[in-house]
Structures are given as C-alpha cells and as structure tokens.
Amino acid sequence: MTEPLFSEDDEEFDRPRLAAHGPVRVRVPAKINLHLHVGPVRPDGFHELTTVYHAIGLYDELTARRGDTLTLTMEGEGTGALSLGEDNLIMRAVRALAAETGHDAFARLHLKKQIPIAAGLAGGSADAAAALVACDHLWGTGLARDDLAAIAATLGSDIPFLVLGGTALGTGRGELVSPVLTGGHAWHWVLAVADEGLSTPVVYKTFDELGGVGVAGSPDDLLAALRQRDPEVLADRLANDLQAAALHLRPELRQVLDAGLDAGALAGLVSGSGPTCVFLAEDARHAALLAAELEARACCRAVRTAAGPVPGARVL
Ligand code: C5P
C-alpha cells in the first residue's frame, strides 16, 4: 500500500490571513495530462479540450518578499533562456492580482526552477499559479481559491489547475477544472526530458494541419481506471491527442517512447504538447529501476521520477 501524497480535504484557502512580514515560500508542482482530447478550434482560436490533469512531485519554488517595486530573479532550469521582464507569466500574474485586489504590485520575487521549460509540463503556468498564491499571502489579500482560479484563467488555460492540484477534469480551453477524487492512491511516473523544448501554439497548429480531429474521446474509462488503482489497467487508458503532432515535429521522440517501453514501462506517452515523454511504473521501486535503465540508454537530456497526485501551489 503506497502512502497517499495528496489529501482530498484541503482547507488551505479557507482560513483568514494577515499580510506576511517575512518571506513567503510557495511550492508548485508540474502537471501531466493522463487524458487529453482535443476538440475543434473555437472562434477565439483556442481548442475545446477534455482533459484529466494530474499534478506530480516535480516542483518549482517561488519566494516572495516585501519590496517597493516588482522584481524577479531566478536560478535553476531555464536561467538565461527565460525572460524575467513584464512578459514573464509570473509578472503578469502579480499585476493581475494587484489589479483585482487594488493592492500595489510590489514584491521581490525569486524563482528556484526545477521544472524544465517548454516541456509540456506546464512549468510557466505553475510559476504563475505560485505567484498568485505567494502574493495573496504576502499582501494579506486573502482570496478564496476560486477567486485565484478565476484570475488564473485570464492568464492561461492550465493555470487554474496548478492552483488546485491533485487530479482534475479540465474542460473549456482547459481552464474549467473540477477535482477528481481518487482516494489518495499514489501513481509513479518516470519523465524523459528532451534537450530542446516544443512551442505549445506550434504543436496545436500542427494538430490542425494533420486534420484537427481528436480521437481520445471521453475520459470515462480513464477515470474508472484511476478509481481501480491498478497501474496495469491505467496503462491501457492513457491518451493524448497532441502526441501525433509532437511526434510529427520531433520524430526522434518515437525512439524515446520505444526505449521506455523496452525498459519495462507499463505505458509511455508524450506529456501535453511535449516533448517530455512520461512513463507509468508499477510502484516507486519500479520507477527507480526504469529511470536508471533510461539514463543508461542516454536517449534524452535528463530522467526524473515523480509521484502524483500532489497538491497545487501551496505556502511552505
Ligand atoms: O492558454 P495558454 O496560454 O497556455 O495557451 C498557449 C497556446 O496553446 C495558445 O495560444 C493556443 O495556441 C494553444 N492552445 C489551444 N487550445 C487550448 C489551449 C491552448 O489552441 N485549449
């Protein structure tokens, strides 16, 4: 029996809060999509989605301190490649929270990044969710989780999920999320991280060019498999309509998927818009063995293990 990683009774957002005087540290997870059905393009240019999000234990950490301007520094994954200016989703999230609450958009922010960028793991969205939660605490604005999720939805399709965490059904363009209760069972994953990222808009555009018809369909079978808590059953139900587009743009990902299956993974699929490939393991021990085997094959930049579901952006 594996230890639950995620409590379904989460009251973090229901307590009144005062402004913090010391630094506020927020940890936020990466996400994978266990099911991603892509529907037609809508008039606003987004695709209608039916997805099952799953937060996994691979984290970024954002620290917020009081300041009299808004500044952002970072270390770790993506340093030098990521803009730290006003176009960064963190800055946009802080400005959106300030506009919504009437608070000055002042904070000194520092990001410690472990989630690879442009990887299909929603790292940028995770950081925006962390910024909303961190500044809400720093400023004592005390918004409810639903209010933070509403601001999050204006910033990006999967940011509301990163505020929520756990496992959740996403609809609309992905921004409408409702928790999926799975009884706290832990699933074990191995991630194969690629050298170079893929652009999410380019992957969606390629999906359209390849016919734009999603085949993943309803997530009901996947949701039933989650309740069954049997990784062998779950393995058959994982689905991602963006996988063909990611493979079209990066054919060598096929070798990564094959390497994972050959090494004994129960299943392998591209994570979100890719290029990270994610493999399902039987348990923590199997995940460690699988990771070692994939590392030995040197088929990708880095290999990580992570279990899920875990909570969304939370103050440490
Ligand atoms: O919402 P987000 O900013 O994460 O979306 C990034 C890009 O991914 C969009 O600009 C769009 O090209 C594509 N996308 C989409 N349909 C969705 C979500 C994202 O076409 N439901």
Side-chain angles (χ1 to χ4, degrees), residues 103-254:
H103 201 279
D104 287 325
F106 293 164
R108 286 184 296 137
L109 304 170
H110 183 72
L111 175 67
K112 277 193 194 165
K113 196 150 184 57
Q114 287 190 58
I115 307 174
I117 64 172
L121 297 168
S125 298
D127 299 340
L132 292 175
V133 171
C135 288
D136 182 48
H137 270 73
L138 187 73
W139 301 341
T141 37
L143 295 193
R145 181 161 48 192
D146 284 353
D147 297 329
L148 288 177
I151 302 172
T154 66
L155 298 162
S157 306
D158 43 20
I159 306 178
F161 171 69
L162 276 314
V163 174
L164 180 70
T167 304
L169 183 66
T171 53
R173 62 181 165 87
E175 89 284 19
L176 306 172
V177 284
S178 50
V180 170
L181 303 181
T182 57
H185 180 75
W187 303 93
H188 295 271
W189 308 94
V190 177
L191 309 180
V193 179
D195 278 322
E196 215 189 312
L198 274 175
S199 149
T200 304
V202 171
V203 175
Y204 272 100
K205 195 165 155 277
T206 306
F207 170 85
D208 293 336
E209 286 164 2
L210 293 175
V213 183
V215 294
S218 149
D220 289 352
D221 288 349
L222 180 278
L223 295 173
L226 287 173
R227 288 191 293 270
Q228 258 176 279
R229 303 175 178 201
D230 180 344
E232 302 265 0
V233 177
L234 185 68
D236 279 342
R237 314 257 170 105
L238 300 167
N240 179 6
D241 278 341
L242 292 181
Q243 175 159 310
L247 288 173
H248 183 83
L249 289 164
R250 199 64 69 73
E252 60 271 30
L253 291 178
R254 171 54 63 199

